[in-house]
């Protein structure tokens, strides 16, 4: 059946629905028949493949092959241990990746879109995946169309179908049946298609297709939900590739030097491959994913839902937060505090005109006196009106003066109009909105002046002002252009309301200032109201500027650029101007977070470095475009998220520093020993053991480190900053050299003493030095004794476990056979322990020097 050519009667009959939709019971049957209304995801990597993929690394494959070859050469125990270590390694990698994938999936599910459906004759809000063909749904500006829908009602309904048809202008929708059965979706004006965005108006309609049967399902094929690499991972991958060449060259050098010394070729090759596996940091990008996914889970607990993983890594770099006022900085709990009605207004029955206007010109869904849903401004108006009139009177007024037309609220125009039937076959037009918007609808200069002075007066004391105008029309107006309709009107009065600032916001703003982040308020409200609140919560200061949308429109790009960094409040701006603000800040090298809730905010949310949508009051469209969703709409949550972002980035830097330092120490030890005329200090299995146990577990636990004490008292790091800046690169080199030096010194001493267990000592010192290192780099700014051992329990557990495992390898007889170690006498173990502490103390000393002499590096 072609729905766009059918009449509405045929549509409901064809769908076995009714003008009031279907029943809940019928829907339950249909969902079994048609399936859930979702696009299928591309097949996820099955767990077994994810496990196998752990071996995809070239060097690991080579090592596995070498180990298998070694079995045939008679090296059975060694080979089996190598294979077991590789398996354990793969299993750990697999578990981490699998868990990270699962938590990202769970977070993704938290952003499901809901739809208003009429079932059993009642309106209810359901998750869009539960829709079935035949359902009757309500569509509003800001919604993403949840399924393919044949429209039965369209009031100024305009839909952006660019995602489906490529047409960039929103399409005006209608409900009349069309003639041509072969029309393409873009021309089917009485249909709304899944995934398109409602930019204006409202409508109703019947679901005709769901899930993969929709037009979007047909063209989209399968969704690929795989997370791409984040910028940091990409950079690290590139760096890793270059590093691999250096490591492979060093390994080749070790083989050549060994051959020259007449050592066994196969053993040398196995050793160098093991070393390459240990030293090439192939696991770092995966570790970053784990850290970011873990961070996203923590952020979700703090009410910030991450939609795009790279946002977690760059959150800490935000230098500007541009925030909406209403609801984000304020509580969105409006209360009417002032009313002013013009004298000699027409009467509407028993009602004073202004109250009647408040009762009629609004879109609140009012079931009972205390059950009002809708926009907070409007709820406040209805609540104030209900203080003077009963709910029954309110309902009877609405039925007497029925609404016959409307121009919905639009944040560009900042006003809305409704048309009502009026005695003597006339019609009443009521317009309410920002005082400037009402100003130019009025017909009397003196009244205009009165409106202006009064509303400015109210706004200066922080009051949000709404003005009302009206006119009586002889004929029902054609509602097309706002300017044709909203003119020659009479002033009716003003209503003033307050919306208190959120209590926690002031402190959050102070915290931002200390952290080098500038907060900017962007609002559609009056400049005086905006400035009052901006001062109250600490955004506006003596040197800060306020710009209005009109002033901004007048400024040239250069003129605006000259003052963008001093402008702290933007008032009466339209959503489209937000984009200009972001671009200007970005061209001044700022990293901008921007909040938005409306349909028109989508472009700026996309353009911002971190686009933040509102979970409670935001539209679906803004949520689709954002990188982050605030589940509680609260500004303070952004600040918590930034702090978390800084913690995650710091910890990534720490484990990258840790792993690379350990690897460089291992490489140097093996390379330099023969050059100094000593035997190769470690066996392949010992190297792999160090790589698996000492490197892996503590690195992972470093991601759990708490935020640095001063993390919100320093300026942000640029998002493009290298992981090796701020002394990290130098640290890797010098601590790597020190660690290798201590290990080699142990070897030299033990050989000099003629002890048979010199190798076990070298093995132990290298292993334990790394544990000392991890304890010291837990913080960049606090010494371990101050920080306390227990502030990161995971890390202490990892260190203890690793220590006891190492002792097991040294003291358990069967481990001695497997790892070719010998039990150390107490004195020698003591020497190993003391030597292992050298690196710990050296790194703590490095911290002291940085704090003392280079505080800018001590982060
Ligand atoms: P924010 O601070 O988040 O930008 P805002 O509520 O101040 O939010 P808008 O919602 O764009 O910004 O509103 C701008 C102006 O439009 C308000 O100051 C008010 O004068 C007017 N306005 C707001 N809601 C309505 C409404 N429902 N009907 C008519 N006018 C409204």
């Amino acid at each position: 059946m072609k729905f766009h050519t059918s009449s509405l009667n045929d549509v409901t009959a064809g769908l076995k629905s009714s003008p009031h939709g279907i029943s809940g019971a019928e829907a339950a049957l249909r969902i079994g028949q048609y399936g859930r209304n979702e696009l299928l995801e591309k097949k996820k990597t099955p767990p077994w493949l994810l496990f196998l993929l752990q071996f995809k690394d070239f060097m690991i494959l080579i090592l596995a092959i070498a180990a298998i070859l070694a079995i045939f050469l008679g090296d059975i125990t060694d080979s089996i241990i190598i294979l077991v270590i590789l398996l354990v390694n793969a299993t750990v990698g697999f578990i981490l990746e699998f868990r990270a994938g699962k938590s990202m999936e769970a977070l993704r599910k938290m952003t499901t879109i809901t739809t208003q459906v009429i079932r059993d004759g009642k309106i209810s809000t359901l998750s869009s995946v539960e829709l079935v063909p035949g359902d009757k749904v309500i569509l509003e500006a800001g919604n993403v169309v949840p399924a393919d829908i044949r429209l039965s009602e369209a009031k100024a309904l305009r839909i952006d179908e660019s995602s489906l048809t490529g047409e960039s202008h929103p399409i005006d929708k209608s409900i009349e049946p069309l003639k041509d059965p072969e029309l393409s979706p873009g021309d089917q004006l009485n249909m709304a298609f899944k995934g398109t965005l409602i930019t204006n108006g409202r409508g109703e309609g019947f679901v005709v297709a769901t899930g993969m049967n929709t037009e979007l399902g047909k063209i989209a094929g399968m969704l690929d939900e795989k997370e791409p690499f984040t910028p940091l991972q990409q950079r690290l991958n590139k760096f890793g590739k270059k590093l691999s060449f250096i490591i492979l060259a060093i390994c080749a050098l070790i083989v050549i030097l060994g051959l020259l010394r007449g050592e066994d070729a196969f053993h040398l090759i196995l050793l160098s491959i093991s070393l390459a596996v240990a030293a090439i940091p192939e696991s770092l990008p995966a570790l970053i994913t784990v850290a970011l996914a873990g961070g996203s889970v923590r952020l979700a607990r703090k009410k910030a839902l991450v939609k795009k993983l790279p946002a977690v890594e760059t959150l800490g770099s935000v230098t500007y937060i541009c925030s909406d006022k209403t609801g984000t900085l304020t509580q969105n709990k409006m209360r009417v505090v002032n009313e002013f009605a013009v004298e000699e207004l027409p009467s509407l029955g028993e009602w004073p005109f202004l109250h009647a206007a408040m009762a009629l010109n609004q879109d609140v869904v009012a079931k009972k006196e205390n059950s009002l849903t809708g926009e907070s401004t409007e709820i406040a108006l209805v609540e104030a009106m209900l203080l003077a009139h009963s709910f029954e009177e309110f309902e009877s007024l609405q039925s007497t003066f029925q609404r016959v037309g409307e121009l919905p609220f639009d944040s560009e125009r900042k006003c809305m109009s409704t048309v009502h039937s009026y005695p003597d076959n006339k019609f009443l037009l009521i317009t309410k909105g920002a005082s400037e918007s009402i100003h130019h609808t009025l017909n009397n200069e003196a009244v205009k002046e009165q409106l202006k002075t009064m509303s400015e007066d109210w706004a200066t004391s922080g009051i949000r002002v709404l003005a009302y105008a009206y006119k009586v029309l002889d004929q029902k107006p054609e509602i097309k252009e706002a300017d044709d309709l909203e003119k020659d009107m009479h002033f009716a009065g003003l209503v003033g309301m307050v919306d208190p600032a959120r209590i926690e916001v002031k402190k959050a703003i102070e915290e931002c200032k200390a952290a080098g982040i500038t907060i900017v308020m962007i609002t559609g409200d009056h400049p005086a109201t905006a400035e009052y609140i901006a001062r109250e919560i600490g955004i506006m200061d003596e040197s800060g500027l306020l710009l209005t949308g009109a002033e901004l429109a007048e400024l040239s790009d250069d003129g605006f650029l000259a003052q963008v960094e001093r402008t702290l409040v933007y008032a009466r701006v339209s959503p489209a101007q937000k984009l200009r603000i972001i671009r200007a800040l970005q061209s001044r090298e700022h990293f901008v977070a921007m909040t938005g809730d409306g349909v028109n905010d989508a472009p700026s949310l996309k353009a911002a470095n971190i686009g933040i949508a509102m979970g409670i009051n935001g539209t679906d469209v803004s949520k689709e475009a954002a990188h982050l969703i605030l589940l509680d709409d609260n500004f303070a949550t952004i600040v918590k998220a930034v702090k978390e972002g800084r913690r995650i980035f710091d910890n990534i830097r720490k484990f990258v520093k840790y792993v690379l330092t350990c690897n460089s120490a291992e490489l140097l030890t093996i390379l330099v020993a023969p050059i100094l005329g000593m035997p190769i200090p470690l066996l392949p299995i010992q190297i792999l053991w160090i790589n698996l146990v000492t490197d892996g577990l503590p690195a992972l636990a470093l991601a759990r480190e708490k935020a640095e004490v001063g993390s919100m008292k320093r300026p942000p790091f640029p998002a493009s900053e290298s992981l090796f800046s701020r002394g990290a690169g130098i640290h890797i080199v010098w601590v790597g050299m020190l660690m290798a030096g201590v290990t080699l010194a142990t070897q030299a001493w033990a050989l000099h003493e003629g002890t048979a267990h010199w190798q076990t000592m070298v093995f132990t010192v290298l292993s334990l030095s790394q544990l000392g290192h991890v304890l010291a780099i837990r913080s960049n700014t606090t010494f371990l004794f101050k920080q306390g051992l227990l502030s990161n329990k995971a890390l202490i557990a990892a260190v203890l476990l690793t220590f006891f495992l190492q002792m097991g390898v040294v003291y358990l007889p069967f481990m001695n056979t497997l790892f070719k170690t010998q039990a150390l006498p107490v004195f020698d173990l003591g020497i190993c322990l003391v030597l292992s502490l050298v690196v710990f103390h050296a790194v703590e000393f490095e911290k002291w020097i940085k704090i003392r002499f280079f505080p800018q590096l001590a982060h």
Side-chain angles (χ1 to χ4, degrees):
M1 172 172 187
K2 295 272 181 201
F3 291 99
H4 67 275
T5 52
S6 313
S7 70
L8 280 170
N9 280 342
D10 291 348
V11 170
T12 39
L15 291 168
K16 296 204 177 65
S17 185
S18 78
H20 312 293
I22 54 173
S23 66
E26 178 62 25
L29 286 179
R30 290 193 188 186
I31 202 140
Q33 192 182 346
Y34 294 99
R36 284 154 69 85
N37 175 29
E38 52 196 356
L39 299 180
L40 295 183
E41 283 177 26
K42 210 171 213 165
K43 271 223 160 63
K44 277 191 223 98
T45 322
W48 62 267
L49 186 59
L50 193 65
F51 182 75
L52 281 188
L53 282 175
Q54 306 293 322
F55 296 95
K56 72 172 187 305
D57 186 67
F58 182 65
M59 286 320 291
I60 291 187
L61 265 184
I62 301 270
L63 182 60
I65 294 170
I68 292 168
L69 277 183
I71 297 181
F72 296 105
L73 296 174
D75 239 350
I76 298 178
T77 347
D78 274 14
S79 312
I80 291 182
I81 296 183
I82 293 181
L83 290 173
V84 169
I85 290 186
L86 288 183
L87 266 181
V88 174
N89 220 347
T91 312
V92 174
F94 164 76
I95 294 176
L96 291 176
E97 266 191 53
F98 188 74
R99 278 185 32 194
K102 281 265 173 261
S103 43
M104 288 317 289
E105 209 178 297
L107 291 184
R108 233 187 335 258
K109 293 222 167 100
M110 286 172 73
T111 39
T112 47
I113 285 175
T114 55
T115 308
Q116 293 192 64
V117 191
I118 303 174
R119 281 192 189 162
D120 299 311
K122 284 196 293 265
I123 301 178
S124 53
T125 306
L126 294 184
S127 165
S128 305
V129 294
E130 293 175 41
L131 290 182
V132 291
D135 261 329
K136 185 167 190 190
V137 294
I138 300 174
L139 303 171
E140 279 177 357
N143 289 163
V144 171
V145 176
D148 283 1
I149 289 162
R150 166 69 163 89
L151 296 167
S152 59
E153 196 178 312
K155 283 192 182 148
L157 187 66
R158 217 171 289 149
I159 301 188
D160 172 354
E161 296 184 338
S162 54
S163 57
L164 192 67
T165 61
E167 169 59 53
S168 59
H169 290 290
I171 312 287
D172 283 311
K173 292 290 176 176
S174 56
I175 59 168
E176 284 76 36
L178 301 166
K179 293 237 158 55
D180 183 356
E182 300 309 322
L183 287 178
S184 67
D187 295 322
Q188 298 181 15
L189 297 181
N190 53 15
M191 296 284 296
F193 296 102
K194 184 176 175 70
T196 56
L197 313 175
I198 305 182
T199 57
N200 197 58
R202 70 173 87 217
E204 287 182 8
F206 294 92
V207 173
V208 300
T210 57
M212 293 306 282
N213 295 326
T214 58
E215 291 298 325
L216 180 68
K218 284 181 210 153
I219 61 160
M222 307 262 181
L223 281 191
D224 192 358
E225 290 283 5
K226 208 165 176 302
E227 292 281 345
F229 274 137
T230 68
L232 196 62
Q233 286 172 321
Q234 285 168 12
R235 285 192 338 239
L236 209 58
N237 268 341
K238 256 197 212 147
F239 168 78
K241 287 221 172 77
K242 279 190 218 143
L243 193 68
S244 313
F245 284 116
I246 301 176
I247 292 171
L248 290 177
I250 294 177
C251 291
L253 190 66
I254 290 171
V255 175
I256 295 167
L257 287 178
L259 286 178
L260 289 179
R261 285 156 51 103
E263 289 187 28
D264 171 50
F266 187 76
H267 177 245
L268 272 174
I269 291 173
L270 197 60
L271 174 94
S272 59
I273 301 174
S274 304
L275 188 58
V277 166
I280 295 175
E282 78 288 335
S283 60
L284 280 182
L287 270 179
I288 291 184
T289 307
V290 171
L292 295 179
S296 315
V297 172
R298 278 178 69 121
L299 282 166
R301 266 189 235 132
K302 294 184 174 174
K303 304 264 181 266
L305 189 63
V306 174
K307 282 198 56 207
K308 308 205 166 113
L309 209 49
V312 184
E313 140 191 323
T314 49
L315 257 174
S317 302
V318 164
T319 59
Y320 263 79
I321 303 177
C322 301
S323 174
D324 282 336
K325 172 174 70 65
T326 309
T328 315
L329 294 168
T330 63
Q331 299 178 8
N332 208 13
K333 288 198 186 119
M334 311 253 184
R335 191 164 49 83
V336 170
V337 289
N338 253 356
E339 283 176 29
F340 162 78
V342 171
E343 286 169 18
E344 291 177 27
L345 288 166
S347 68
L348 298 182
E350 301 290 298
W351 285 67
F353 186 86
L354 189 63
H355 279 178
M358 284 157 77
L360 293 173
N361 177 301
Q362 47 83 18
D363 286 324
V364 171
V365 180
K367 288 193 187 128
K368 287 197 295 290
E369 209 159 318
N370 46 12
S371 156
L372 306 176
T373 40
E375 218 225 317
S376 56
T377 309
E378 303 214 319
I379 290 182
L381 294 169
V382 173
E383 277 174 349
M385 175 274 302
L386 282 174
L387 287 179
H389 307 272
S390 71
F391 196 74
E392 290 69 36
E393 285 169 346
F394 169 47
E395 282 186 314
S396 106
L397 180 85
Q398 280 180 315
S399 57
T400 317
F401 298 92
Q402 291 246 339
R403 185 187 291 195
V404 294
E406 66 191 286
L407 266 169
F409 175 70
D410 173 342
S411 48
E412 299 275 345
R413 296 192 308 119
K414 302 193 185 359
C415 64
M416 70 179 270
S417 291
T418 50
V419 182
H420 303 267
S421 51
Y422 195 69
D424 304 330
N425 291 333
K426 294 194 175 171
F427 295 89
L428 173 68
L429 169 70
I430 308 174
T431 304
K432 81 164 185 305
S435 42
E436 296 91 319
S437 309
I438 297 302
H439 192 263
H440 67 251
T441 67
L442 299 181
N443 56 2
N444 178 321
E445 288 307 314
V447 170
K448 280 187 178 182
E449 203 44 46
Q450 181 191 18
L451 162 71
K452 190 160 176 252
T453 339
M454 277 193 77
S455 47
E456 258 163 35
D457 200 31
W458 287 12
T460 337
S461 46
I463 292 175
R464 178 182 173 91
V465 189
L466 279 179
Y468 282 86
Y470 71 97
K471 73 174 163 185
V472 177
L473 304 157
D474 292 331
Q475 273 163 2
K476 189 174 165 192
E478 278 258 351
I479 299 187
K480 277 203 182 124
E481 287 302 317
D483 288 343
D484 296 340
L485 187 67
E486 295 160 352
K487 62 179 184 197
D488 291 331
M489 299 184 74
H490 311 286
F491 181 37
L494 294 177
V495 179
M497 53 186 85
V498 287
D499 176 18
R502 284 179 184 268
I503 299 158
E504 58 281 42
V505 152
K506 203 167 172 181
K507 204 166 137 256
I509 288 173
E510 262 169 38
E511 206 175 341
C512 284
K513 285 188 172 167
I517 304 168
T518 309
I519 313 297
V520 171
M521 176 195 276
I522 301 185
T523 175
D525 222 335
H526 192 283
T529 319
E531 184 167 351
Y532 180 92
I533 294 173
R535 283 198 192 282
E536 182 182 298
I537 56 181
I539 289 184
M540 192 62 162
D541 55 25
E542 292 318 311
S543 54
L545 298 182
L546 181 146
L547 264 188
T548 62
E551 288 162 350
L552 178 56
E554 290 290 303
L555 279 175
S556 68
D557 281 345
D558 285 340
F560 180 39
L561 267 187
Q563 63 187 78
V564 64
E565 287 175 301
R566 279 181 300 141
T567 309
L568 299 179
V569 179
Y570 295 86
R572 288 290 192 235
V573 286
S574 62
Q577 287 178 315
K578 284 185 171 180
L579 201 56
R580 190 163 174 218
I581 301 172
I582 296 182
R583 297 252 157 85
L585 285 171
Q586 284 174 337
S587 73
R588 285 265 181 247
E589 307 291 322
H590 285 296
F591 200 82
V592 187
M594 164 84 77
T595 69
D597 47 16
V599 191
N600 315 356
D601 287 328
S604 41
L605 289 177
K606 277 194 192 141
N609 300 88
I610 310 270
I612 305 172
M614 302 296 134
I616 306 173
N617 283 320
T619 53
D620 299 343
V621 176
S622 62
K623 289 182 201 165
E624 288 268 310
H627 304 95
L628 195 74
I629 300 176
L630 296 185
L631 296 176
D632 58 359
D633 290 13
N634 188 346
F635 176 82
T637 305
I638 308 179
V639 184
K640 283 190 209 153
V642 168
K643 186 169 179 185
E644 182 65 12
R646 289 191 177 190
R647 185 189 76 86
I648 295 167
F649 186 82
D650 281 351
N651 288 347
I652 290 179
R653 193 196 276 268
K654 280 175 202 165
F655 68 64
V656 169
K657 206 160 99 172
Y658 172 69
V659 167
L660 293 182
T661 308
C662 292
N663 293 4
S664 67
E666 289 153 24
L667 264 180
L668 281 173
T669 307
I670 309 278
L671 173 71
V672 176
I675 297 178
L676 295 179
M678 295 191 285
I680 290 180
L682 295 172
L683 299 172
I685 44 173
Q686 294 169 343
I687 297 172
L688 290 172
W689 169 265
I690 291 182
N691 183 48
L692 169 71
V693 181
T694 347
D695 288 8
L697 286 179
L700 209 64
L702 270 178
R704 299 269 195 108
E705 205 54 55
K706 292 216 166 68
E708 290 277 347
V709 176
S711 75
M712 289 299 272
K713 299 223 159 54
R714 58 154 157 93
F717 297 158
S720 56
E721 184 176 293
S722 154
L723 279 172
F724 305 112
S725 61
R726 289 172 210 275
I730 298 172
H731 175 100
I732 292 169
V733 174
W734 88 259
V735 181
M737 280 165 58
L738 177 70
M739 210 183 273
V742 172
T743 313
L744 289 168
T746 314
Q747 184 182 12
W749 178 82
L751 284 173
H752 180 259
E753 291 293 299
T755 44
H757 49 253
W758 64 267
Q759 193 168 49
T760 309
M761 288 183 75
V762 171
F763 184 27
T764 307
V765 168
L766 185 55
S767 235
L768 300 188
S769 294
Q770 300 192 344
L771 296 185
H773 183 215
V774 81
L775 287 174
I777 65 162
R778 282 182 53 196
S779 167
N780 299 322
T781 49
T782 318
F783 299 109
L784 180 68
F785 76 87
K786 256 196 175 164
Q787 197 181 12
L789 280 175
L790 294 180
S791 57
N792 181 350
K793 298 207 180 63
L795 189 109
I796 297 309
V799 167
L800 285 178
L801 179 69
T802 311
F803 179 80
F804 287 117
L805 284 174
Q806 183 67 26
M807 291 301 107
V809 171
V810 175
Y811 288 104
L812 295 177
F814 79 95
M815 289 290 224
N816 291 151
T817 338
L818 293 180
F819 283 87
K820 314 228 170 30
T821 48
Q822 281 143 316
L824 295 177
V826 176
F827 179 72
D828 290 359
L829 177 67
I831 289 188
C832 289
L833 290 177
V834 172
L835 286 173
S836 310
L837 283 174
V838 171
V839 172
F840 169 75
H841 283 107
V843 176
E844 289 284 83
F845 185 59
E846 179 199 42
K847 206 183 287 180
W848 181 80
I849 293 187
K850 276 193 181 171
I851 296 172
R852 191 77 213 262
F853 301 107
F854 308 99
Q856 74 282 11
L857 295 181
H859 290 305

